[in-house]
Amino acid sequence: FASTRRPCPLRAMAAMLPLRSGAVMEELGLAISAYTAMRGAAAAAAAAPAPEAEKRTAAQPSQPTKASPSTSPSASPSASPADGKLRVLCLHGYVQNGEVFRQKTGSVRKVMKGCEFEFIDAPHSAVGAFPDSAAADFDAAGVATEGVGPRGWWHAGENAKREAGQEWVRPAMAQVCDGWEASLEHARSEIAALGRFDGVFAFSQGCAVATALLREAREGGFEPLADARFAILVGGFLPREEKVASMMRGSGAPLALHTLHVTGTADTFVPRPRSEELAELFDGGRGAWLEHQGRHGVPT
């Protein structure tokens, strides 16, 4: 694909900040660029004029037939975009929502020109999720004030029984991920309605949901992500609840897709060791790390 490659969107993102694993990033870039080129070539071939023999056949009178919904492109949400762009599923973090995540990823999406992005909302309301003492420290991620309001993929179950004076538990530290199963069911339904995806872009809590669904896809249980080739995981972590972590580990085999793990040196909510725990679930030979100087958020 040397003559048809477009600039790799992930490599463009990496160029924004110091990169610690250039060789792996090069491999990642080549793989995504080649796949994008292949998609574009396939779309161009499908749109090419039919050969003369086919035109003559098409010109012959025939009985009208009714299009089958299963074969009609407009009836299938899994039909690939005509321009061959990579379809990317985007999953937001705690107290955000799809619209807020869209706004906070504007700079990144601008350089990922070979991609088409879809954002979905978590099902659980996170209104009033933080006590006043903790809310002020969470400004780096951005509490949602637009769209459907603040949402979460799970709440810390410990907080439901918290008594006066007891320490508030952040969702990333929860031993009980309240609402996890309902969120997975919700995500499956929302994603299935959008069709198939080539990759995922997730932040914080959303990284856990993305990983769980990628695991299902790799083990034959979730078709919309069965063709996923890459994942960008920003401030991701492996949840503390063992049942949830076990679901994400699945069979134990590394998830075989290209990954870009993004971490902030000033991130006190999800420090790099927590993200490294999540990274261990993926094929390390296909992974790259991007380290920025900021806190818990998507770098701009």
Side-chain angles (χ1 to χ4, degrees):
F1 303 105
S3 61
T4 58
R5 281 183 186 142
R6 287 184 272 173
C8 172
L10 300 188
R11 193 159 49 198
M13 178 182 175
M16 298 166 61
L17 296 163
L19 182 64
R20 299 298 180 89
S21 183
V24 176
M25 197 63 207
E26 181 67 17
E27 179 189 350
L28 177 65
L30 292 176
I32 299 302
S33 294
Y35 183 61
T36 304
M38 181 175 66
R39 284 281 294 272
E52 288 300 321
E54 292 184 15
K55 290 181 179 180
R56 288 195 298 270
T57 301
Q60 296 177 358
S62 61
Q63 294 296 322
T65 58
K66 185 177 181 180
S68 168
S70 62
T71 58
S72 170
S74 60
S76 173
S78 63
S80 299
D83 57 10
K85 288 186 176 181
L86 300 177
R87 302 195 70 229
V88 183
L89 171 68
C90 302
L91 302 177
H92 64 80
Y94 195 61
V95 300
Q96 293 185 340
N97 59 43
E99 178 55 32
V100 169
F101 193 38
R102 180 189 299 275
Q103 294 174 11
K104 290 186 173 296
T105 56
S107 297
V108 175
R109 289 186 290 108
K110 186 177 295 185
V111 298
M112 294 176 66
K113 296 179 180 179
C115 300
E116 172 185 289
F117 301 87
E118 293 285 356
F119 297 77
I120 66 174
D121 300 314
H124 306 298
S125 172
V127 173
F130 294 102
D132 293 339
S133 59
D137 293 331
F138 211 77
D139 58 346
V143 177
T145 58
E146 301 181 19
V148 297
R151 295 292 178 122
W153 296 104
W154 73 83
H155 298 298
E158 295 90 328
N159 292 331
K161 300 179 181 180
R162 187 172 66 94
E163 298 180 359
Q166 285 187 321
E167 184 178 357
W168 180 81
V169 179
R170 293 191 178 99
M173 300 301 295
Q175 298 290 334
V176 179
C177 297
D178 187 21
W180 169 262
E181 291 286 356
S183 283
L184 282 189
E185 188 61 34
H186 170 81
R188 292 185 193 105
S189 176
E190 293 288 305
I191 296 167
L194 294 171
R196 301 175 78 91
F197 288 89
D198 302 296
V200 297
F201 183 5
F203 171 58
S204 197
Q205 269 196 347
C207 296
V209 176
T211 302
L213 295 177
L214 286 168
R215 173 66 68 186
E216 288 186 13
R218 286 300 185 266
E219 298 185 359
F222 192 55
E223 281 298 312
L225 293 181
D227 297 328
R229 301 294 199 276
F230 66 91
I232 305 171
L233 305 174
V234 183
F237 58 90
L238 187 67
R240 293 300 193 205
E241 182 177 338
E242 181 53 36
K243 180 180 178 181
V244 173
S246 178
M247 180 183 299
M248 293 167 63
R249 295 188 188 101
S251 65
L255 290 169
L257 68 162
H258 297 278
T259 52
L260 178 61
H261 302 276
V262 183
T263 183
T265 57
D267 189 343
T268 58
F269 293 110
V270 182
R272 178 163 175 153
R274 290 294 307 274
S275 293
E276 289 174 345
E277 292 177 356
L278 180 66
E280 289 177 0
L281 304 186
F282 295 85
D283 182 352
R286 303 186 187 187
W289 282 87
L290 190 63
E291 191 171 74
H292 60 93
Q293 305 303 311
R295 299 172 66 187
H296 191 56
V298 178
T300 57

